Amino acid sequence: MGGAQYFTGTDYLLSLPIILLTLFALGILLIDLMIPRELKWVNAATAFVGVLFAAGGLVRIQLAQAELMLQGERVEWAFMHSMIMDHFAIYFSYLFLAGAAIAILMSVRYLEIEHEHHGEFYSLILFSVVGMMVMASGFDIVLIFIGLELMAISTYVLVGFLRSDKRSNEAALKYLLLGAFSSGIFAYGLSLFYGLTGSTNLVNIGIGVQRELTARHNHASPILVVALLTTCVGLFFKIAAIPFHQWLPDAYEGAPTSVTGFMSVAVKAAAWAMLLRILIWGLYPMRKVYLPLLIFVSIVTMTGANLAALTQNNLKRLLAYSSIAHVGYMLLGLVAFASVDYPDAAMTDGLKGILLYLLVYTFMNLGAFAVVTSLRQRDVIGDEIDDIAGLFSRAPTEAVLMLIFLLSLAGIPPLAGFYGKYFIFLSLMESGHYVLASLAVLYAVFGLYYYMRIANAMFMREATDKTRLPISVAMKFALGVSAVATVYIGIFPERFIKLVTWSAGL
Amino acid sequence: MQSHILSIILFTPLVGAILLMFVPKDNKDAIRWIANLFALGGLLVSLPLVPWFWAQRFEPGFKFMEGAPNNWIPSIGAGYVLGIDGISFLLIMLTTLLGWVSILSSWTAIENRVKEYYIWFLILQVGMLGVFMSLDFFLFFVFWEAMLVPMYLLIGIWGGPRKLYAAIKFFLYTLFGSVLMLLSVLFLYFYNFRQTGSYTFSIQALYRTAPHIFHDPAYGSTFAILLFLAFFLAFAIKVPMFPFHTWLPDAHVEAPTAGSVILAGVLLKMGTYGFVRFALPFFPDVVMHPKVRGWMIALSIIGIIYGALVSLMQKDMKKLVAYSSVSHLGFCTLGIFALNPAGLSGSVLQQINHGISTGALFLIVGILYERRHTREISEYGGISNVMPLYATITMIMFLSSMGLPLLNGFVGEFTILQGTFVENWRWAAWAVPGVILAAAYLLWLYQRVFFGTVTNPKNEKLHDLTPREVLTFVPLLIMAFWIGLYPKPFFQILQQPVNQLVLTVRPDYPGISSPVNASIPAAPAQAAALHPVTAETTKVAKP
């Protein structure tokens, strides 16, 4: 690259949220040493404030960009073109922060019950968000990889946070081994691209790949295919598409429930941001090459996950498989994207579908996990379907909210979840994938069945334990935010559709 | 001029539901009063529609339009557009009436979780009304799907012993059909964009472009037929037509009485309404395709005969009524696919009739069930001795359901058969045994339950109808006699939309001038000329 030898003010401005979060995360580690056991919630409060500050930093970036835009200046690139704070990155950063904020609220009481209320928990969450932001805004494969590892290592620890719980330990080990393995494959693929194009920057990789393809009359050379395959395998591991999903149900089941919620939305969204950056921004010329792969993986993912979810009796495992199934639907958006040429409506609708899906999924899935988290009591683990039986008589509001989240996950209008599916199905119809679209909607019916198994238990079965379920204030707030977002986006989706259109730079 | 009458009708029950959320759940009487008041309020606010609609019944197009295309979600092209024509007008009146009747009938039947019950019921009412009012497919789809949730809960919480199975089966079946319909309409939406350059779900816009797919060389007739089949699946499951009916007996038998009344009275009509409002005008050439039409007619006739035969064999009263719905709805779809003014207007009228008489039949079964907690026919006998008033009302409603002249069922079935006969006398001939079988299973049921002496000692002490129970039947009886004795106003209301529809599907149909002339008397009202038709069809049916 060459050029500027020193970092400029713009670089620091564009990385403001990342810097703020890092400072807060380090701060929590220090504060934690000073506060007594009963006041551990201060850590959570600090982390929450840190998230707010980071959001403020994002707003600051947006304002500055808008102001400079008026002067015809586009300020997005930072750190010598290795990072880009474009609308896409800002949008995803907001998503990560929303996911982290709700997860922090969910964790306070849960960690107290588990007797594992330590400051490191919150600081790890903030660190992983830093990693995610780097993944979403990185435009250099090295930077993206660093972000990925920062996020992944933080989450490995979070998954194993319940030190005395065997399931948590097992989950963390599995996640660590498979995660490291997949990161290795991913790094291998990226290194091949570096070797082929001589650059680690996605722009140059795209240009290089295009040159390679043109030189061979649009046929990918074997080495290019190997590079693509290994990169894709790494990416599919991270978003947990079948057949690279084995780590996910175990990790989700064993992790502390609030961490599971966090992983299912923020970590997943970060993996998606990385996948979209690489496949759409970087490897755009190769989209016809990876299209068959995407079709295969999406079909297998939807089929496998929906069938596996049917028989689960553990709520966390069920939601884990459901989250894999959602990945399958989102991949379809990418299929539509990859199968048409530039000014086609299917392209924008497919991308919009994925982005909107991730947005609504953040709220509805975290909401569902928040309800599951609140089932954890002193003497009840509370993650089996039997534990949620009769929830309506124990906590009517939570039961109705859970019903809303489940219906939204199933894609019943007018709830938020419907719009994600809507755009994806629309993009499939526009790009002519009629059979694939039919398959996807039929799997949505499967989805309804397993979500309704939970609803059945909540509303139509008697509770074994008749006592009222205590819900902490923080948890009520988390549930409230998720529910309001799920319903509000469902009824007034217009501005959110505009938002994703904006974020995709369309 | 924008009138907000439809929105007011639509959201009155919702206001009630929201209000109920703030009532303490132990105050059951207050909850019941509020729910009943809002259900009655829903009926009362819909009554002004009657004179207003009557005044403009012959005018073409949708009336009381509200909202504008694309005003809800502009970037998708979905709008909050409401409007009615004669067909939806009648169905809306039926919905508000039955909504009130069924909420009134639940006063003593529902004892546990009263608050939720009424909340879900009122929300269900909103969903059903929305389906009949929407003139935007997206809005329609939202109501169509959203309404499944309260119904699922009503069956699943307050239902009978197999309620879990029945509730989930109902939900899955209906969803299965409607997701494919969603895909099909997404294609129409996309096609509309290709043709006109604008994204919209407005039904009137889709009416203009969707029929062209059949002739579009890029897609062709097979593709149009597939698109139609997706719609067909959604509506056929809802109606339910013959091979897709298996959810119905389960849902009906397990649902609480009021749930069954609404299910039979209104929910099933959403399927037939869907055919009339969407499938026919979107795919006129497909429904006129001889193969497609032949299948539709065949399935309708199989439904008529099969439903009736199965009813004949039932030991459970509620199941009997449930299967009789399959048979009656077969007549409705037969009328629709006769695709002429008589068949279509008869079909719509028969939908109203079915709502009235089958709704009443479910109430009748519910009243006995509430007293004895069994629906086994063999448990009863000689009930007319202990409950004379009940027996009388039951007789009238049975006669109405089996299609006795002077009562409503006759007018509908007769007009349908007349319309079918004009198209092909064999179709009518095959359908007629359904009428005879209906008389057989209903009269036999009546004989076993009401006639003779009281054999079961448990039945000796049954008390007759309470004033509240009588009140639930009064509007249904009035409507049954009104339609039976003087159906002309109903046919006049249906005349314009039905003729319009026939014109869309068969532009060269004789006898309808375009634009529809207000001075043409309603064809089916000229009943005098049609007597030979029934005589002949009955002859054919009875070898």
Side-chain angles (χ1 to χ4, degrees):
Chain A
M1 279 280 142
Q5 291 300 314
Y6 304 99
F7 294 158
T8 63
T10 339
D11 294 335
Y12 291 112
L13 172 69
L14 290 182
S15 55
L16 184 63
I18 295 175
I19 297 171
L20 282 172
L21 274 183
T22 316
L23 289 178
F24 268 92
L26 294 171
I28 290 170
L29 288 179
L30 286 177
I31 297 171
D32 185 43
L33 298 173
M34 291 174 242
I35 53 176
R37 232 194 156 79
E38 321 77 71
L39 286 177
K40 291 291 183 191
W41 57 268
V42 173
N43 291 323
T46 318
F48 196 81
V49 172
V51 168
L52 291 182
F53 265 81
L58 284 171
V59 173
R60 179 81 187 74
I61 294 176
Q62 261 181 281
L63 289 176
Q65 282 181 340
E67 202 175 308
L68 288 166
M69 201 63 185
L70 288 178
Q71 301 161 18
E73 207 179 335
R74 215 183 165 90
V75 182
E76 286 173 345
W77 293 102
F79 300 113
M80 297 174 282
H81 287 74
S82 63
M83 183 175 145
I84 182 171
M85 211 57 184
D86 56 354
H87 295 170
F88 179 85
I90 293 175
Y91 172 78
F92 269 98
S93 301
Y94 278 125
L95 272 191
F96 305 146
L97 290 176
I102 298 176
I104 289 168
L105 292 174
M106 281 158 57
S107 303
V108 183
R109 203 185 122 79
Y110 182 82
L111 291 177
E112 268 168 26
I113 292 171
E114 297 282 5
H115 299 294
E116 294 285 0
H117 209 178
H118 308 295
E120 295 87 10
F121 182 87
Y122 301 105
S123 122
L124 282 168
I125 283 197
L126 295 192
F127 275 129
S128 71
V129 175
V130 171
M132 294 169 195
M133 285 184 171
V134 173
M135 284 160 79
S137 58
F139 218 75
D140 188 289
I141 49 180
V142 176
L143 191 62
I144 292 178
F145 193 79
I146 292 173
L148 170 68
E149 284 308 290
L150 177 56
M151 177 195 83
I153 292 169
S154 311
T155 10
Y156 299 149
V157 184
L158 284 173
V159 169
F161 208 76
L162 307 178
R163 284 172 300 180
S164 51
D165 182 351
K166 270 189 193 152
R167 283 197 306 173
S168 179
N169 284 317
E170 183 197 325
L173 191 63
K174 267 188 191 163
Y175 187 26
L176 170 69
L177 289 177
L178 283 170
F181 179 63
S182 63
S183 294
I185 297 176
F186 183 49
Y188 180 64
L190 295 179
S191 72
L192 285 178
F193 275 117
Y194 172 68
L196 283 165
T197 59
S199 171
T200 55
N201 193 290
L202 284 179
V203 180
N204 296 335
I205 290 181
I207 296 169
V209 166
Q210 178 69 61
R211 196 184 300 129
E212 282 275 310
L213 286 173
T214 335
R216 302 173 126 255
H217 310 288
N218 278 329
H219 284 287
S221 60
I223 188 71
L224 204 55
V225 172
V226 172
L228 181 73
L229 272 180
T230 43
T231 310
C232 281
V233 167
L235 292 170
F236 291 150
F237 251 113
K238 296 301 173 191
I239 62 166
I242 295 178
F244 311 107
H245 69 291
Q246 289 92 340
W247 58 273
L248 186 130
D250 292 326
Y252 277 24
E253 191 191 350
T257 314
S258 55
V259 173
T260 312
F262 178 66
M263 281 169 70
S264 72
V265 298
V267 174
K268 180 154 286 184
W272 266 100
M274 178 173 75
L275 182 136
L276 294 176
R277 261 296 186 234
I278 293 180
L279 290 189
I280 290 182
W281 270 263
L283 302 179
Y284 181 78
M286 291 190 82
R287 66 189 192 288
K288 292 283 184 281
V289 184
Y290 59 67
L291 177 63
L293 184 68
L294 284 178
I295 293 178
F296 170 75
V297 171
S298 59
I299 292 177
V300 177
T301 305
M302 287 189 301
T303 314
N306 279 308
L307 293 182
L310 289 179
T311 55
Q312 300 302 323
N313 285 322
N314 182 295
L315 287 172
K316 282 157 84 175
R317 273 191 101 79
L318 194 155
L319 287 171
Y321 279 108
S322 104
S323 87
I324 302 177
H326 287 291
V327 166
Y329 298 128
M330 286 187 248
L331 278 173
L332 290 177
L334 204 56
V335 167
F337 179 93
S339 44
V340 292
D341 291 317
Y342 169 60
D344 195 299
M347 200 167 234
T348 54
D349 283 332
L351 190 55
K352 268 197 262 184
I354 298 173
L355 295 174
L356 193 60
Y357 213 123
L358 286 167
L359 169 71
V360 298
Y361 188 72
T362 302
F363 293 107
M364 62 196 185
N365 210 42
L366 261 183
F369 272 111
V371 175
V372 178
T373 310
S374 66
L375 293 176
R376 174 76 172 101
Q377 300 299 320
R378 288 261 173 247
D379 43 0
V380 188
I381 295 177
D383 57 4
E384 298 291 325
I385 283 197
D386 292 337
D387 294 320
I388 209 170
L391 184 69
F392 187 81
S393 55
R394 299 178 65 199
T397 316
E398 279 69 30
V400 172
L401 293 185
M402 185 70 171
L403 179 70
I404 290 176
F405 297 135
L406 292 172
L407 290 171
S408 178
L409 284 167
I412 302 285
L415 292 168
F418 173 68
Y419 295 95
K421 289 205 172 74
Y422 166 84
F423 274 108
I424 286 179
F425 296 155
L426 176 65
S427 67
L428 285 175
M429 292 307 278
E430 284 172 334
S431 55
H433 289 288
Y434 306 121
V435 178
L436 210 52
S438 313
L439 204 62
V441 293
L442 293 184
Y443 282 128
V445 180
F446 273 79
L448 184 82
Y449 175 75
Y450 52 77
Y451 294 126
M452 285 305 106
R453 279 184 64 210
I454 304 180
N456 270 345
M458 287 193 304
F459 284 90
M460 299 164 197
R461 280 169 53 188
E462 290 300 317
T464 39
D465 170 19
K466 301 268 184 203
T467 52
R468 270 192 86 82
L469 198 65
I471 311 279
S472 69
V473 182
M475 180 60 89
K476 276 183 186 158
F477 191 68
L479 278 171
V481 170
S482 316
V484 168
T486 308
V487 175
Y488 186 84
I489 300 177
I491 298 176
F492 303 104
E494 176 62 18
R495 70 178 59 186
F496 298 93
I497 296 171
K498 287 241 173 74
L499 174 71
V500 295
T501 317
W502 170 84
S503 75
L506 300 167
Chain B
M1 186 203 77
Q2 285 242 352
S3 125
H4 291 291
I5 179 74
L6 292 181
S7 286
I8 294 171
I9 298 172
L10 178 60
F11 289 115
T12 304
L14 189 67
V15 174
I18 292 172
L19 202 66
L20 277 181
M21 286 178 198
F22 298 103
V23 181
K25 69 175 176 195
D26 301 318
N27 198 347
K28 290 186 183 175
D29 276 329
I31 292 169
R32 287 182 179 126
W33 274 108
I34 292 174
N36 274 283
L37 277 177
F38 272 92
L40 182 63
L43 175 62
L44 290 181
V45 294
S46 69
L47 285 181
L49 214 53
V50 178
W52 295 349
F53 193 90
W54 182 254
Q56 41 179 311
R57 63 190 180 283
F58 294 125
E59 283 168 28
F62 291 103
K63 286 125 194 144
F64 305 106
M65 291 273 282
E66 225 174 281
N70 304 0
N71 63 353
W72 176 28
I73 317 174
S75 44
I76 287 181
Y80 176 78
V81 193
L82 303 180
I84 53 174
D85 61 2
I87 298 169
S88 38
F89 165 69
L90 289 181
L91 287 166
I92 286 168
M93 297 311 293
L94 178 75
T95 310
T96 52
L97 177 68
L98 281 182
W100 172 61
V101 166
S102 47
I103 282 187
L104 184 64
S105 76
S106 321
W107 196 289
T108 51
I110 301 298
E111 275 299 333
N112 64 332
R113 300 167 81 174
V114 178
K115 180 175 158 182
E116 299 159 67
Y117 176 81
Y118 285 111
I119 291 178
W120 291 124
F121 214 106
L122 289 168
I123 293 177
L124 175 67
Q125 186 80 355
V126 179
M128 296 183 303
L129 287 168
V131 163
F132 293 132
M133 289 177 183
S134 309
L135 288 188
D136 182 281
F137 197 92
F138 200 88
L139 189 67
F140 165 83
F141 191 77
V142 167
F143 283 121
W144 170 276
E145 296 261 282
M147 160 243 101
L148 296 177
V149 179
M151 194 69 223
Y152 158 76
L153 290 166
L154 284 177
I155 299 175
I157 300 177
W158 293 275
R162 289 171 73 232
K163 57 189 181 180
L164 290 183
Y165 171 75
I168 197 79
K169 191 170 177 184
F170 163 76
F171 206 158
L172 290 181
Y173 255 67
T174 324
L175 190 77
F176 171 71
S178 53
V179 289
L180 286 175
M181 173 173 75
L182 175 68
L183 284 190
S184 181
V185 88
L186 281 178
F187 184 83
L188 298 186
Y189 165 79
F190 176 56
Y191 188 78
N192 181 62
F193 167 70
R194 283 267 189 83
Q195 299 289 311
T196 64
S198 69
Y199 276 124
T200 180
F201 277 105
S202 158
I203 290 178
Q204 283 154 311
L206 296 183
Y207 277 170
R208 283 192 286 275
T209 52
H212 299 302
I213 298 176
F214 191 82
H215 305 291
D216 192 327
Y219 298 103
S221 57
T222 319
F223 196 78
I225 290 176
L226 284 176
L227 291 175
F228 167 77
L229 281 182
F231 275 83
F232 165 75
L233 201 61
F235 299 138
I237 287 175
K238 200 85 187 178
V239 169
M241 286 174 80
F242 162 66
F244 310 107
H245 66 282
T246 54
W247 64 270
L248 179 114
D250 288 311
H252 268 316
V253 171
E254 302 305 328
T257 300
S260 303
V261 173
I262 282 293
L263 196 57
V266 184
L267 254 75
L268 306 188
K269 278 33 171 225
M270 289 166 44
T272 43
Y273 174 77
F275 275 118
V276 173
R277 174 68 75 232
F278 302 107
L280 263 49
F282 282 170
F283 307 104
D285 297 296
V286 177
V287 288
M288 280 309 288
H289 192 282
K291 258 194 183 158
V292 172
R293 195 170 172 213
W295 271 103
M296 299 298 126
I297 298 279
L299 290 179
S300 305
I301 292 174
I302 294 174
I304 293 173
I305 306 289
Y306 171 83
L309 284 176
V310 177
S311 291
L312 211 48
M313 301 311 299
Q314 295 305 316
K315 297 190 175 71
D316 181 316
M317 283 191 267
K318 211 171 178 183
K319 222 166 184 169
L320 188 148
V321 181
Y323 275 108
S324 83
S325 288
V326 177
S327 177
H328 283 130
L329 265 299
F331 275 106
C332 293
T333 48
L334 182 68
I336 290 174
F337 287 99
L339 292 171
N340 57 27
L344 273 165
S345 50
S347 168
V348 178
L349 193 64
Q350 182 62 8
Q351 291 168 31
I352 308 293
N353 293 335
H354 178 261
I356 292 165
S357 50
T358 307
L361 293 191
F362 277 117
L363 286 176
I364 286 164
V365 176
I367 282 168
L368 263 193
Y369 181 75
E370 217 178 296
R371 285 165 173 62
R372 280 287 323 276
H373 293 284
T374 176
R375 293 185 296 252
E376 287 292 309
I377 297 170
S378 55
E379 284 279 314
Y380 298 100
I383 298 294
S384 60
N385 298 323
V386 281
M387 300 171 75
L389 181 59
Y390 175 66
T392 316
I393 292 178
T394 310
M395 192 67 215
I396 297 171
M397 281 307 169
F398 275 25
L399 294 176
S400 137
S401 181
M402 72 180 77
L404 190 83
L406 295 186
L407 282 164
N408 58 349
F410 170 73
V411 182
E413 279 175 8
F414 181 82
T415 323
I416 291 173
L417 287 173
Q418 179 210 344
T420 319
F421 188 88
V422 175
E423 294 301 317
N424 188 333
W425 68 268
R426 290 182 188 83
W427 297 347
W430 276 107
V432 165
V435 185
I436 301 161
L437 286 170
Y441 59 75
L442 283 170
L443 289 179
W444 192 30
L445 172 68
Y446 197 83
Q447 185 192 339
R448 284 180 289 171
V449 174
F450 289 90
F451 288 161
T453 51
V454 182
T455 45
N456 191 336
K458 287 181 195 157
N459 293 336
E460 281 163 5
K461 287 276 178 318
L462 295 182
H463 60 92
D464 209 344
L465 298 182
T466 63
R468 178 185 60 80
E469 285 164 341
V470 175
L471 188 61
T472 59
F473 286 110
V474 169
L476 302 178
L477 285 169
I478 293 174
M479 291 309 294
F481 276 108
W482 182 9
I483 300 178
L485 294 171
Y486 190 60
K488 195 175 161 193
F490 294 90
F491 284 120
Q492 283 196 356
I493 286 171
L494 290 174
Q495 182 189 339
Q496 187 275 328
V498 161
N499 284 355
Q500 182 63 46
L501 194 62
V502 174
L503 254 165
T504 321
V505 182
R506 310 163 89 169
D508 50 350
Y509 192 81
I512 306 172
S513 56
S514 174
V516 178
N517 191 340
S519 62
I520 299 177
Q526 309 165 314
L530 304 164
H531 276 304
V533 177
T534 33
E536 197 176 335
T537 44
T538 331
K539 231 188 312 178
V540 174
K542 278 190 228 160

